[in-house]
Amino acid sequence: MRRLSGHRYKTAIYCRLSKDDNLGKTESMSIANQKQLLLDYVMNNKWDLVGVYVDDGFTGTNFDRPDFKRMIRDIDDGVINCVVTKDLSRLGRNYSMTGYYIDEYFIEHGVRFIAINDSVDTDQESNDFAAFHNVINEFYPKEISRKVRQVKKANAERGRHQGGRPPYGYMKDPEDKYKLVIDPEPARIIKRIFNDYVKHGNARKIAEDLNRDKVLSPAAYYYKLTKKAYGQKEPSKILWNSNSITRILHNQIYRGNMVSGTRTTPSFKSKKIILKHPSEWIIVEGTHEALIDDALWYAAEEMHTSPRKRAYHHKKRSKKYLFKGIIFCKECGARLVGSVRHGRKDYRCSTYNTGGNTACTTHSIREDYLINAVREDLKHFGNVPEEKRLEMAVKIIAKARESGTDSRSELEKELNRNKLRIEEIGRISRSMYEDKVSGLITSEMFAQMSSEYKIETDECKENIKRVETKLSQIESIEKSAGKWLDAVYEYLKMNKLDQDLVLELIEKIEVSHVSGSTLTPKKVTIYYKFLGPISGSKQVISRVSKESKPA
């Protein structure tokens, strides 16, 4: 680290508090208390205070916090060379990442880090106990997470409603927040949906009828009722669609049953949602008044699984669509899905399919027109002289490298950091054992620390595996770009498109809105892998009309 003894430090103080910190003792941990302690410390040392950074209400288990990221940007810009916190847990409760910032990032950037109450100062020779503090700080939110999960599971098994928003058709009992009671107006809509579905079996038609009658969708009803904002959308713009209808038709809440535990997360550190198998759900029957009786429920289920519907969906799935999964509506961003009309394959906006013309327009386009547009595009490559193709290949490979979200150098640093951390844990573990033998730490502490370090070692090994996979992917980019060119020249020789070739060549296709005939989209933009739209080619089609003669 770059030593600045004798100099006035350009100092930042960092404060953090989450709702789970120091349960029942928020006064000693409050932002105001932290700030005053740190300001006094900086003033007593006669250092220059260049920034106060506060994250109030943010967990310490991850570092995606607005003011922490702002502080890091200022460090990168050379504004700060000293950071002071009340203790290590204010910096973070993830011992792996906290250790990285203390042991690597701050040192590499010439920043002195001080945690006052834990006696950690990176300008001093020894900070051996910082690692122990970090492990203990992470143990706290892990234990809280475990207890919260236990409470939620116990409530679920008792049939209690958990969560902020009650299901559409119900509201929380004013006298018992864990119990549901009927909300009359949306309850009437739920009964209408089930009855209409049993009569017609068409979820999309039900959605169109509800939108036509200006019935608020579940989300719109909730935001209007609570007067909460929903992004940039007005509640009246949040429309019904076939998916929302289908979710209602399959929700056992309307039979009077409470269903819980349908999803989880990998660990308390991760926000990733994992959907659980229905066999793992917790279902308690008869917890509240049903909106739908068993006869109507089973009639709707039978309609959904009728032979006619199964045959229709099987027929729909059996069709092969050349551009499936890569063609999108320019206006709403939804995928265009394939259908067969009048003996030909078309693609139509899925938002229109589920919500009708109140949600979007069809954006319908024939598959043979798309094939013709791609063929016109690829002629651009056919006109490139042989001697210029090498130059084009170099440009494509360069673009491919730029498309990577992680640079090789950053990945190699991360790989090295994890390998060094594993070596460091080995050294710490040996030192811990010696401390146990000499009586400096108890056997219980040794066992707990050993367990925590084993978990961190396993995480480092997983990180190494992940990073090595990414590095391997980067190394394969040039090969992928070469294969892309091979695919182009294969097409030029064969003059025939198949789905494998399309997926190898094209990233996505956008179809824009046009007034008039739904069969003549005004613009089709084709984005090729590694290149995007081809400059100067005809991938942007100003008019694809009936008079065109697709090959």
mmCIF file of all heavy atoms in Angstrom, residues 1 3 18 59 62 65 171 175 178 218 231 240 263 265 354 416 428 469 507-508 518 526 531:
data_model
loop_
_atom_site.group_PDB
_atom_site.id
_atom_site.type_symbol
_atom_site.label_atom_id
_atom_site.label_comp_id
_atom_site.label_asym_id
_atom_site.label_seq_id
_atom_site.Cartn_x
_atom_site.Cartn_y
_atom_site.Cartn_z
ATOM 1 N N MET A 1 0.839 -1.212 0.000
ATOM 2 C CA MET A 1 0.000 0.000 0.000
ATOM 3 C C MET A 1 0.870 1.257 0.000
ATOM 4 O O MET A 1 1.932 1.285 0.589
ATOM 5 C CB MET A 1 -0.906 -0.028 1.243
ATOM 6 C CG MET A 1 -1.696 1.240 1.445
ATOM 7 S SD MET A 1 -2.722 1.149 2.914
ATOM 8 C CE MET A 1 -3.198 2.851 3.049
ATOM 9 N N ARG A 3 1.973 4.438 1.436
ATOM 10 C CA ARG A 3 1.912 5.056 2.760
ATOM 11 C C ARG A 3 1.851 6.579 2.636
ATOM 12 O O ARG A 3 2.561 7.178 1.848
ATOM 13 C CB ARG A 3 3.144 4.675 3.579
ATOM 14 C CG ARG A 3 3.324 3.176 3.747
ATOM 15 C CD ARG A 3 2.499 2.650 4.892
ATOM 16 N NE ARG A 3 2.582 1.219 4.995
ATOM 17 C CZ ARG A 3 2.269 0.539 6.072
ATOM 18 N NH1 ARG A 3 1.853 1.179 7.138
ATOM 19 N NH2 ARG A 3 2.359 -0.760 6.099
ATOM 20 N N SER A 18 -29.264 -1.548 8.185
ATOM 21 C CA SER A 18 -30.421 -2.241 7.612
ATOM 22 C C SER A 18 -31.416 -2.508 8.726
ATOM 23 O O SER A 18 -31.087 -2.420 9.914
ATOM 24 C CB SER A 18 -29.999 -3.557 6.949
ATOM 25 O OG SER A 18 -29.713 -4.537 7.919
ATOM 26 N N THR A 59 -29.011 -4.009 3.175
ATOM 27 C CA THR A 59 -28.362 -5.141 3.815
ATOM 28 C C THR A 59 -26.861 -5.134 3.557
ATOM 29 O O THR A 59 -26.394 -4.609 2.543
ATOM 30 C CB THR A 59 -28.951 -6.471 3.306
ATOM 31 O OG1 THR A 59 -28.257 -7.563 3.933
ATOM 32 C CG2 THR A 59 -28.799 -6.610 1.801
ATOM 33 N N ASN A 62 -24.774 -7.990 0.545
ATOM 34 C CA ASN A 62 -24.257 -7.736 -0.807
ATOM 35 C C ASN A 62 -23.822 -6.282 -0.911
ATOM 36 O O ASN A 62 -24.129 -5.466 -0.039
ATOM 37 C CB ASN A 62 -25.292 -8.092 -1.888
ATOM 38 C CG ASN A 62 -26.463 -7.143 -1.906
ATOM 39 O OD1 ASN A 62 -26.316 -5.955 -2.176
ATOM 40 N ND2 ASN A 62 -27.650 -7.648 -1.601
ATOM 41 N N ARG A 65 -25.190 -1.329 -3.256
ATOM 42 C CA ARG A 65 -25.760 -0.231 -2.486
ATOM 43 C C ARG A 65 -25.366 1.086 -3.163
ATOM 44 O O ARG A 65 -24.206 1.257 -3.557
ATOM 45 C CB ARG A 65 -25.227 -0.229 -1.056
ATOM 46 C CG ARG A 65 -25.279 -1.564 -0.359
ATOM 47 C CD ARG A 65 -24.595 -1.522 1.008
ATOM 48 N NE ARG A 65 -23.896 -2.763 1.294
ATOM 49 C CZ ARG A 65 -22.722 -2.850 1.874
ATOM 50 N NH1 ARG A 65 -22.072 -1.744 2.226
ATOM 51 N NH2 ARG A 65 -22.157 -4.018 2.085
ATOM 52 N N MET A 171 -59.219 -9.708 0.468
ATOM 53 C CA MET A 171 -58.489 -8.670 1.188
ATOM 54 C C MET A 171 -58.155 -9.215 2.577
ATOM 55 O O MET A 171 -58.712 -10.234 3.014
ATOM 56 C CB MET A 171 -59.303 -7.384 1.282
ATOM 57 C CG MET A 171 -60.653 -7.529 1.938
ATOM 58 S SD MET A 171 -61.590 -5.986 1.865
ATOM 59 C CE MET A 171 -63.154 -6.485 2.601
ATOM 60 N N GLU A 175 -59.157 -7.584 11.364
ATOM 61 C CA GLU A 175 -58.878 -8.016 12.732
ATOM 62 C C GLU A 175 -57.777 -9.071 12.804
ATOM 63 O O GLU A 175 -57.329 -9.428 13.890
ATOM 64 C CB GLU A 175 -60.159 -8.561 13.370
ATOM 65 C CG GLU A 175 -61.253 -7.509 13.483
ATOM 66 C CD GLU A 175 -62.512 -8.066 14.111
ATOM 67 O OE1 GLU A 175 -62.524 -9.274 14.458
ATOM 68 O OE2 GLU A 175 -63.485 -7.304 14.256
ATOM 69 N N TYR A 178 -53.354 -12.269 9.061
ATOM 70 C CA TYR A 178 -52.993 -13.558 8.468
ATOM 71 C C TYR A 178 -54.189 -14.265 7.828
ATOM 72 O O TYR A 178 -54.051 -15.352 7.284
ATOM 73 C CB TYR A 178 -52.385 -14.486 9.530
ATOM 74 C CG TYR A 178 -51.084 -13.985 10.096
ATOM 75 C CD1 TYR A 178 -50.978 -13.564 11.415
ATOM 76 C CD2 TYR A 178 -49.934 -13.950 9.308
ATOM 77 C CE1 TYR A 178 -49.776 -13.105 11.939
ATOM 78 C CE2 TYR A 178 -48.724 -13.485 9.820
ATOM 79 C CZ TYR A 178 -48.660 -13.069 11.137
ATOM 80 O OH TYR A 178 -47.469 -12.620 11.637
ATOM 81 N N PRO A 218 -55.880 -7.311 -12.103
ATOM 82 C CA PRO A 218 -55.469 -7.441 -10.693
ATOM 83 C C PRO A 218 -54.427 -6.422 -10.270
ATOM 84 O O PRO A 218 -54.553 -5.814 -9.201
ATOM 85 C CB PRO A 218 -54.919 -8.871 -10.637
ATOM 86 C CG PRO A 218 -55.716 -9.606 -11.663
ATOM 87 C CD PRO A 218 -55.916 -8.624 -12.775
ATOM 88 N N GLY A 231 -44.423 2.173 -11.818
ATOM 89 C CA GLY A 231 -43.505 2.631 -12.856
ATOM 90 C C GLY A 231 -44.056 3.866 -13.533
ATOM 91 O O GLY A 231 -44.555 4.804 -12.910
ATOM 92 N N TRP A 240 -55.621 -6.838 -18.852
ATOM 93 C CA TRP A 240 -55.775 -8.282 -18.734
ATOM 94 C C TRP A 240 -55.133 -8.959 -19.943
ATOM 95 O O TRP A 240 -55.087 -8.390 -21.033
ATOM 96 C CB TRP A 240 -57.253 -8.661 -18.723
ATOM 97 C CG TRP A 240 -58.005 -8.290 -17.489
ATOM 98 C CD1 TRP A 240 -58.684 -7.121 -17.267
ATOM 99 C CD2 TRP A 240 -58.180 -9.081 -16.317
ATOM 100 N NE1 TRP A 240 -59.264 -7.134 -16.019
ATOM 101 C CE2 TRP A 240 -58.981 -8.337 -15.408
ATOM 102 C CE3 TRP A 240 -57.757 -10.346 -15.928
ATOM 103 C CZ2 TRP A 240 -59.340 -8.824 -14.159
ATOM 104 C CZ3 TRP A 240 -58.128 -10.842 -14.686
ATOM 105 C CH2 TRP A 240 -58.901 -10.080 -13.811
ATOM 106 N N ARG A 263 -41.890 -20.998 -3.980
ATOM 107 C CA ARG A 263 -40.595 -20.574 -4.506
ATOM 108 C C ARG A 263 -39.622 -20.348 -3.358
ATOM 109 O O ARG A 263 -40.026 -20.212 -2.198
ATOM 110 C CB ARG A 263 -40.727 -19.305 -5.348
ATOM 111 C CG ARG A 263 -41.346 -18.124 -4.634
ATOM 112 C CD ARG A 263 -41.570 -16.966 -5.580
ATOM 113 N NE ARG A 263 -41.992 -15.762 -4.860
ATOM 114 C CZ ARG A 263 -42.106 -14.587 -5.422
ATOM 115 N NH1 ARG A 263 -41.825 -14.439 -6.693
ATOM 116 N NH2 ARG A 263 -42.486 -13.538 -4.721
ATOM 117 N N THR A 265 -35.049 -19.221 -2.527
ATOM 118 C CA THR A 265 -33.789 -18.667 -3.033
ATOM 119 C C THR A 265 -32.666 -19.620 -2.661
ATOM 120 O O THR A 265 -32.784 -20.383 -1.692
ATOM 121 C CB THR A 265 -33.496 -17.277 -2.419
ATOM 122 O OG1 THR A 265 -33.482 -17.396 -0.984
ATOM 123 C CG2 THR A 265 -34.548 -16.263 -2.828
ATOM 124 N N THR A 354 -52.556 -12.509 -26.508
ATOM 125 C CA THR A 354 -53.074 -12.727 -25.156
ATOM 126 C C THR A 354 -53.986 -11.617 -24.676
ATOM 127 O O THR A 354 -54.848 -11.845 -23.835
ATOM 128 C CB THR A 354 -51.916 -12.873 -24.146
ATOM 129 O OG1 THR A 354 -51.110 -11.695 -24.181
ATOM 130 C CG2 THR A 354 -51.061 -14.076 -24.459
ATOM 131 N N ASN A 416 -7.384 -15.381 -10.063
ATOM 132 C CA ASN A 416 -6.212 -15.333 -9.187
ATOM 133 C C ASN A 416 -6.609 -15.001 -7.754
ATOM 134 O O ASN A 416 -6.067 -15.569 -6.793
ATOM 135 C CB ASN A 416 -5.222 -14.287 -9.721
ATOM 136 C CG ASN A 416 -3.900 -14.311 -8.969
ATOM 137 O OD1 ASN A 416 -3.296 -15.365 -8.794
ATOM 138 N ND2 ASN A 416 -3.453 -13.153 -8.535
ATOM 139 N N ILE A 428 -4.631 -19.582 7.409
ATOM 140 C CA ILE A 428 -5.413 -19.178 8.575
ATOM 141 C C ILE A 428 -5.852 -20.406 9.381
ATOM 142 O O ILE A 428 -5.809 -20.414 10.609
ATOM 143 C CB ILE A 428 -6.645 -18.346 8.150
ATOM 144 C CG1 ILE A 428 -6.205 -16.988 7.596
ATOM 145 C CG2 ILE A 428 -7.600 -18.139 9.322
ATOM 146 C CD1 ILE A 428 -7.340 -16.176 7.002
ATOM 147 N N THR A 469 -14.826 -21.240 -16.874
ATOM 148 C CA THR A 469 -15.807 -21.455 -17.953
ATOM 149 C C THR A 469 -15.936 -20.205 -18.819
ATOM 150 O O THR A 469 -15.971 -20.280 -20.050
ATOM 151 C CB THR A 469 -17.177 -21.827 -17.358
ATOM 152 O OG1 THR A 469 -17.050 -23.025 -16.599
ATOM 153 C CG2 THR A 469 -18.208 -22.039 -18.462
ATOM 154 N N GLU A 507 -29.234 -12.855 -34.458
ATOM 155 C CA GLU A 507 -29.463 -12.612 -33.031
ATOM 156 C C GLU A 507 -30.943 -12.383 -32.767
ATOM 157 O O GLU A 507 -31.544 -12.998 -31.900
ATOM 158 C CB GLU A 507 -28.660 -11.385 -32.584
ATOM 159 C CG GLU A 507 -28.657 -11.159 -31.081
ATOM 160 C CD GLU A 507 -27.796 -12.172 -30.354
ATOM 161 O OE1 GLU A 507 -26.711 -12.511 -30.853
ATOM 162 O OE2 GLU A 507 -28.238 -12.635 -29.289
ATOM 163 N N LYS A 508 -31.554 -11.458 -33.514
ATOM 164 C CA LYS A 508 -32.987 -11.197 -33.373
ATOM 165 C C LYS A 508 -33.495 -10.431 -34.590
ATOM 166 O O LYS A 508 -32.707 -9.853 -35.360
ATOM 167 C CB LYS A 508 -33.279 -10.396 -32.103
ATOM 168 C CG LYS A 508 -32.773 -8.964 -32.129
ATOM 169 C CD LYS A 508 -33.227 -8.213 -30.879
ATOM 170 C CE LYS A 508 -32.716 -6.759 -30.922
ATOM 171 N NZ LYS A 508 -33.186 -5.966 -29.768
ATOM 172 N N THR A 518 -52.235 -5.630 -42.161
ATOM 173 C CA THR A 518 -51.375 -6.278 -41.166
ATOM 174 C C THR A 518 -50.347 -7.185 -41.823
ATOM 175 O O THR A 518 -49.441 -7.663 -41.165
ATOM 176 C CB THR A 518 -52.219 -7.123 -40.199
ATOM 177 O OG1 THR A 518 -52.960 -8.086 -40.948
ATOM 178 C CG2 THR A 518 -53.158 -6.257 -39.394
ATOM 179 N N ILE A 526 -33.079 -6.725 -39.079
ATOM 180 C CA ILE A 526 -32.436 -7.996 -38.750
ATOM 181 C C ILE A 526 -31.095 -7.704 -38.080
ATOM 182 O O ILE A 526 -30.244 -7.020 -38.652
ATOM 183 C CB ILE A 526 -32.230 -8.857 -40.010
ATOM 184 C CG1 ILE A 526 -33.561 -9.067 -40.736
ATOM 185 C CG2 ILE A 526 -31.602 -10.199 -39.657
ATOM 186 C CD1 ILE A 526 -33.421 -9.665 -42.121
ATOM 187 N N LEU A 531 -22.546 -8.644 -35.423
ATOM 188 C CA LEU A 531 -22.529 -7.466 -36.289
ATOM 189 C C LEU A 531 -23.652 -6.479 -36.022
ATOM 190 O O LEU A 531 -23.494 -5.285 -36.240
ATOM 191 C CB LEU A 531 -22.625 -7.894 -37.762
ATOM 192 C CG LEU A 531 -21.385 -8.549 -38.374
ATOM 193 C CD1 LEU A 531 -21.651 -8.849 -39.828
ATOM 194 C CD2 LEU A 531 -20.176 -7.654 -38.238
#
